[in-house]
Amino acid sequence: MTVHSPSPRSFTRPIRVLLADDHELVRDGIRARLQKVAELEVVGEATNGRDALALARDLRPDVLLMDVSMPVMNGLEAATQMRKTLPEIAVLILSVYDNPEYVRGVVQAGARGYILKDISAAEMITAITSVANGGYYFSSAVGPTLVGAGTSAPVEDPYGLTDRERQVLTAIAKGQPNKEVAKELGISVRTVESHRLNLREKVGNKNAAQLYKVAQDLGLLD
């Protein structure tokens, strides 16, 4: 799976989750999964994006777990509205589709994750926890689609990265392992590890999700 680690945040209460899916059977299954976890609480359910927005305003959940394909208002439209009106609520898209256009669309709309409906209960819980804590989570089938999903970004580098560090940062954003990066750049694995350490120190020891955003802001993923 492709995971972007969350930023540090602590909950002294269960993570509040709002479900949005137009299929009752799907909602029943998800609710049954989440109710087994003491750290999670399902606070409401909606059958379309419009109702999800209304419930989100009233209930103020930590996470909106939402299908991308729904009547009245779909998940893409709802995520766009959420970013404008309730940006503090993390949107996690749940879908049967691994269509690249869907993934790019919801990322640009402000969703913090995209998972497929065939994932395990454990992975779903991990995804919810990740986005609730300020991070990102994408299933492995859709992770590669993220490369190129960003918009144009400024090329100014406030971190003072070297060309090699920028190459390594790009590789991290693409999820490449050290051995693959070393082979691609013609350097040793130990040198790759050294560059990783240096660039993390320069950008503030950020986690994987934040490093992805740094690479995007620097225009390295265009």
Side-chain angles (χ1 to χ4, degrees):
M1 56 188 157
T2 299
V3 182
H4 288 165
S5 301
S7 304
R9 181 180 174 187
S10 60
F11 281 89
T12 57
R13 54 167 176 74
I15 295 172
R16 294 163 52 82
V17 181
L18 172 63
L19 302 179
D21 195 294
D22 58 319
H23 293 97
E24 184 176 0
L25 187 61
V26 173
R27 295 197 312 275
D28 288 346
I30 295 174
R31 188 191 328 108
R33 285 183 172 189
L34 303 188
Q35 286 177 338
K36 296 178 181 179
V37 183
E39 292 78 14
L40 302 178
E41 177 186 5
V42 177
V43 296
E45 299 178 28
T47 59
N48 59 67
R50 185 184 63 188
D51 290 348
L53 286 172
L55 283 175
R57 285 191 291 268
D58 292 339
L59 300 174
R60 301 289 168 154
D62 301 302
V63 177
L64 170 56
L65 180 59
M66 177 169 56
D67 188 12
V68 72
S69 180
M70 294 183 293
V72 183
M73 179 185 289
N74 63 37
L76 177 60
E77 295 172 306
T80 301
Q81 291 299 316
M82 288 286 292
R83 181 176 62 179
K84 295 177 180 178
T85 61
L86 297 167
E88 70 278 9
I89 298 175
V91 175
L92 177 61
I93 296 296
L94 179 69
S95 178
V96 297
Y97 305 108
D98 59 1
N99 187 312
E101 292 305 316
Y102 281 172
V103 182
R104 294 191 187 99
V106 297
V107 170
Q108 292 171 344
R112 301 195 69 85
Y114 193 110
I115 56 178
L116 301 180
K117 289 186 176 181
D118 62 356
I119 65 172
S120 67
E123 186 175 353
M124 179 179 291
I125 292 165
T126 298
I128 292 171
T129 303
S130 294
V131 300
N133 280 285
Y136 295 78
Y137 195 103
F138 298 91
S139 295
S140 57
V142 301
T145 309
L146 294 174
V147 178
T151 57
S152 298
V155 296
E156 180 181 356
D157 180 4
Y159 308 106
L161 301 181
T162 65
D163 289 342
R164 185 66 85 192
E165 287 166 351
R166 290 165 69 90
Q167 290 175 322
V168 173
L169 175 59
T170 303
I172 292 176
K174 293 180 179 180
Q176 293 178 263
N178 286 351
K179 287 185 178 180
E180 183 177 327
V181 179
K183 182 178 180 180
E184 182 177 300
L185 300 181
I187 57 180
S188 69
V189 173
R190 180 168 295 183
T191 300
V192 173
E193 293 172 348
S194 178
H195 284 309
R196 277 178 177 261
L197 179 61
N198 290 339
L199 75 86
R200 281 181 179 274
E201 290 177 347
K202 287 185 177 181
V203 303
N205 197 31
K206 299 180 183 297
N207 60 39
Q210 294 166 329
L211 286 174
Y212 177 89
K213 184 63 167 57
V214 169
Q216 187 179 72
D217 289 345
L218 293 178
L220 301 179
L221 301 181
D222 292 343

